[in-house]
C-alpha cells in the first residue's frame, strides 16, 4: 500500500503525512479517495482504513464517492489513469530489480 500512497502523493504533489493526517481539505480528501480506489483492489477495507488511520466505513464512503465521480468527471478519470501509469511503472521497476538480483545470485 506504501507504493500506492507514494504514487498518489507524487501525482497530487502533497506529502504522505498530510494524507494520513485528520485534515479535511478538499485536496487531501481527494487524495484519500484515490488511495482507497487503488488500495482496495488487493486489500480489505479494514486494512486500507487502518493504513490511513480511518474506519472501514470511511473507506466505503470514499469508494462510493470516487466511483460516482467516475460517471461524469473527466478530471477524476484522468487523475486515476495517470496514477495507474505511475503504479505500473513502479511495478516494472520492482520486477526489473528482482530480475537483476536473481542474475547476481546465479553468478
Amino acid at each position: 500500500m506504501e507504493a500506492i500512497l507514494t504514487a498518489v502523493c507524487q501525482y497530487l504533489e502533497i506529502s504522505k503525512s498530510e494524507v494520513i493526517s485528520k485534515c479535511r481539505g478538499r485536496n487531501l480528501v481527494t487524495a484519500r479517495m484515490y488511495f482507497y480506489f487503488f488500495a482496495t483492489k488487493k486489500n480489505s477495507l479494514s486494512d486500507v482504513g487502518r493504513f490511513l488511520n480511518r474506519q472501514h466505513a470511511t473507506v466505503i464512503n470514499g469508494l462510493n464517492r470516487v466511483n460516482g465521480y467516475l460517471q461524469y468527471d473527466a478530471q477524476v478519470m484522468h487523475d486515476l489513469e495517470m496514477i495507474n501509469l505511475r503504479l505500473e511503472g513502479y511495478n516494472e521497476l520492482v520486477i526489473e530489480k528482482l530480475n537483476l538480483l536473481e542474475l547476481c545470485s546465479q553468478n
Side-chain angles (χ1 to χ4, degrees), residues 31-44:
R32 289 182 200 119
M33 286 189 311
Y34 292 173
F35 174 79
Y36 300 153
F37 181 82
F38 290 106
T40 54
K41 296 196 182 302
K42 294 186 178 181
N43 300 284
S44 71

Side-chain angles (χ1 to χ4, degrees), residues 29-97:
V29 171
T30 299
R32 289 182 200 119
M33 286 189 311
Y34 292 173
F35 174 79
Y36 300 153
F37 181 82
F38 290 106
T40 54
K41 296 196 182 302
K42 294 186 178 181
N43 300 284
S44 71
L45 294 170
S46 57
D47 287 343
V48 172
R50 212 170 311 149
F51 189 79
L52 292 184
N53 300 318
R54 303 290 189 280
Q55 296 180 355
H56 77 282
T58 304
V59 176
I60 293 170
N61 183 49
L63 281 173
N64 289 339
R65 288 181 61 198
V66 77
N67 286 325
Y69 291 145
L70 279 172
Q71 302 299 317
Y72 64 87
D73 192 331
Q75 183 62 50
V76 170
M77 187 177 296
H78 173 75
D79 289 347
L80 292 174
E81 287 172 356
M82 297 306 293
I83 293 167
N84 191 49
L85 287 174
R86 286 175 183 263
L87 288 170
E88 287 174 357
Y90 175 81
N91 289 336
E92 288 173 12
L93 283 174
V94 169
I95 291 168
E96 203 172 292
K97 284 182 182 179

Side-chain angles (χ1 to χ4, degrees), residues 11-29:
Y11 178 73
L12 296 175
E13 298 178 348
I14 56 177
S15 73
K16 293 178 187 179
S17 62
E18 288 178 304
V19 175
I20 295 171
S21 76
K22 297 292 182 187
C23 295
R24 294 185 292 182
R26 184 178 182 94
N27 62 330
L28 301 177
V29 171

